[in-house]
Amino acid sequence: MEFTIGGRLEVRITPADVGKRVSVRRVADVPGEGAKFTDTVGVLTSWDDGVLSVTTKSGETIRIAESALVAGKVVPPAPARRRGPAASFGELALVTARAWQPVESELLGEWRLRAAGGFTRRANSVLPLGDPGLPLGEALGRVTRWYEDRGLPACIQAATGAEGTQERLCAGLEEHGWRREVTAEVRIAALAPVGDLDTDISAVRLAREPDDAWLSRYQRFETPGPHVRAVLGSGPSVLFASVPGDDPAGAAAAIGRCVVDGRWAGFMAVEVDPAQRRRGLATAVMTALARTALDEGASAAWLQVEADNGGARALYDGMGFATHHSYHHFRPA
């Protein structure tokens, strides 16, 4: 990382650069090593009372004393990945929301409060795509009361890591005592290569609604009540895939869900019986879904994977999916 001009380090950022992507170098005391240079790249989310906050693409907010700065500059937005389709954060945020809709929603300014009886964080969290129309502290109070009225914990979904994402909101949530509960990656890829994978899909069954075998394999609920079926069935064009199994309880050996929305095909709920793993069933499910999505006119693919799910991330790496941005669920501490 280069900061020098004519051999000198310079701090070329000011409080006026809040909201911009910056690269900073500071002196930090490292236990056992003494003073050491540390570099940080992210969005400058605040600069108050001699302390800077820089929120990285992982969603972590780094607080830096102004007195510790030795260099800093504004840098261009992170270059778009060349693998996969071009996509903005705003487009993907709306597409992913339409594929997993709540049972109940209400607007707070440009924030959408969503609830679905507690079934999944995505369907029971705020989607904050703009200004809530209130100071942040007041908006958070309204959010908390709205969820309390429904017997649910308050939760906000906010994104980092791409142009137009919500680093400043993430930092503001942390300042108001909210903490990240989980982080996931939104990944994108061209759809045709997924449909062209050389795999046997003869055992994959496709349907417009999940049957009992599909629901028995899905691990995100205890009892599939009406709110579960409502969320699973939401979206412009919904497909369910399953591979029959020999589970005594009647659960499918593998399942998957796909929502086709214009040029996008979103993949969700890809699960395999632990006893049937490493047989290519997840690949077969996704390939079958991708071929149908291609027939419906889609050309681009997206999916979401939790950051600590190493097995799934490796599978999607092999299919050509690249991370577009990350999102985080915040709850009050």
Side-chain angles (χ1 to χ4, degrees):
M1 190 180 299
E2 183 58 58
F3 289 97
T4 59
I5 297 180
R8 294 182 296 110
L9 294 171
E10 285 195 347
V11 177
R12 290 184 282 142
I13 56 174
T14 72
D17 294 314
V18 168
K20 297 178 182 178
R21 187 167 180 263
V22 300
S23 178
V24 298
R25 176 171 290 177
R26 70 187 188 278
V27 176
D29 288 324
V30 179
E33 300 182 32
K36 189 175 182 180
F37 283 144
T38 301
D39 297 326
T40 302
V41 177
V43 174
L44 181 61
T45 47
S46 67
W47 190 328
D48 299 308
D49 299 324
V51 178
L52 297 73
S53 293
V54 178
T55 302
T56 68
K57 67 179 182 180
S58 70
E60 180 184 10
T61 298
I62 309 297
R63 290 177 173 78
I64 304 167
E66 184 178 341
S67 59
L69 278 182
V70 295
K73 62 183 179 182
V74 174
V75 295
R81 288 209 178 239
R82 297 304 178 190
R83 273 195 300 164
S88 68
F89 164 68
E91 178 186 7
L92 276 173
L94 292 174
V95 167
T96 57
R98 286 195 294 267
W100 199 263
Q101 298 176 25
V103 175
E104 178 185 5
S105 68
E106 183 177 316
L107 288 175
L108 177 63
E110 295 175 297
W111 287 15
R112 183 169 293 279
L113 284 60
R114 306 176 293 182
F119 172 57
T120 73
R121 295 182 186 89
R122 276 182 285 165
N124 294 272
S125 59
V126 178
L127 185 66
L129 298 182
D131 187 344
L134 297 169
L136 182 57
E138 292 182 33
L140 296 179
R142 289 276 295 274
V143 165
T144 300
R145 290 190 294 275
W146 193 86
Y147 283 99
E148 284 178 348
D149 289 345
R150 288 151 183 81
L152 298 169
C155 185
I156 294 178
Q157 177 181 314
T160 59
E163 187 171 4
T165 47
Q166 301 156 315
E167 282 82 357
R168 292 183 72 175
L169 174 59
C170 291
L173 290 171
E174 290 187 344
E175 289 171 3
H176 282 81
W178 291 53
R179 295 292 177 263
R180 279 189 296 166
E181 184 176 74
V182 69
T183 291
E185 299 168 349
V186 176
R187 293 187 170 204
I188 60 174
L191 182 61
V194 181
D196 289 342
L197 291 171
D198 184 14
T199 186
D200 181 9
I201 65 169
S202 60
V204 181
R205 298 177 181 176
L206 298 179
R208 289 295 178 179
E209 295 182 357
D211 60 15
D212 289 343
W214 195 102
L215 291 168
S216 295
R217 176 53 52 204
Y218 193 47
Q219 301 298 309
R220 295 300 181 99
F221 55 84
E222 294 182 3
T223 303
H227 56 285
V228 172
R229 291 184 179 272
V231 174
L232 289 173
S234 64
S237 178
V238 187
L239 293 162
F240 296 90
S242 61
V243 176
D246 54 9
D247 185 289
I255 60 170
R257 177 179 182 265
C258 179
V259 176
V260 180
D261 184 354
R263 71 180 180 124
W264 290 100
F267 295 87
M268 291 143 276
V270 177
E271 296 192 9
V272 178
D273 180 350
Q276 302 286 342
R277 289 176 182 166
R278 301 191 182 280
R279 293 180 48 203
L281 295 184
T283 299
V285 162
M286 290 189 64
T287 300
L289 290 169
R291 291 178 185 178
T292 302
L294 286 164
D295 290 341
E296 294 192 6
S299 59
W302 66 267
L303 53 80
Q304 297 166 322
V305 58
E306 291 191 3
D308 60 358
N309 190 341
R313 294 172 70 213
L315 171 68
Y316 302 141
D317 283 344
M319 292 182 175
F321 283 89
T323 300
H324 182 277
H325 65 272
S326 296
Y327 71 83
H328 321 275
H329 282 116
F330 287 83
R331 293 197 192 276

